[in-house]
Amino acid sequence: MRPTLFEKIALGLSGLTALAIGAFILFAPHAFYASYGITLGEDASLLSELRAPGAGLAGFGLLMLLGIRRHATLAVAMVAALTVFVAFPIGRLVGLAMDGMPSGSVIGALVVELVIAALCLAAFRRRLRQPAPRPFAARHAH
């Protein structure tokens, strides 16, 4: 399954965004969170808890980018993009409802995430409507 140009653009933008943000959190959490007005201390446990999902986000970003070139990974790349860019806004909206209004920077991140989610949904809409492929064993059973 070859990606369309629109799908490549959506995967490229979502992949680069996830990779950049994930790597920033992984390697420079103090600077990343300071950009949101959050001051981190030197608690090794807290920093570990922040770096770990940063590494996961960067990994998902690489997977999204891989889907552009390796057509066998396209479906997985699309699922990764939709998972990340739908789940993050949902989490932020839950936080907004439960914790109140965050900083303007966090609201800005929410808007960017919603835009990327909408782009991915629009780009992948044709494939989302297709039935899932049957497992190999089911196709070759006699």
Side-chain angles (χ1 to χ4, degrees), residues 23-119:
F24 198 8
I25 294 168
L26 178 60
F27 295 111
H30 290 91
F32 178 81
Y33 286 101
S35 72
Y36 286 104
I38 300 168
T39 303
L40 298 178
E42 296 303 321
D43 183 323
S45 295
L46 174 61
L47 293 171
S48 178
E49 285 297 307
L50 296 173
R51 288 181 200 273
L57 185 58
F60 275 121
L62 287 173
L63 186 58
M64 293 171 211
L65 294 172
L66 187 64
I68 296 170
R69 291 295 219 184
R70 297 200 40 157
H71 302 147
T73 64
L74 180 59
V76 174
M78 290 178 174
V79 169
L82 288 170
T83 299
V84 167
F85 288 101
V86 171
F88 267 74
I90 288 171
R92 291 194 195 278
L93 292 171
V94 167
L96 187 66
M98 296 182 72
D99 306 322
M101 184 64 73
S103 71
S105 301
V106 173
I107 296 298
L110 170 62
V111 170
V112 169
E113 292 157 0
L114 288 170
V115 167
I116 293 174
L119 175 70

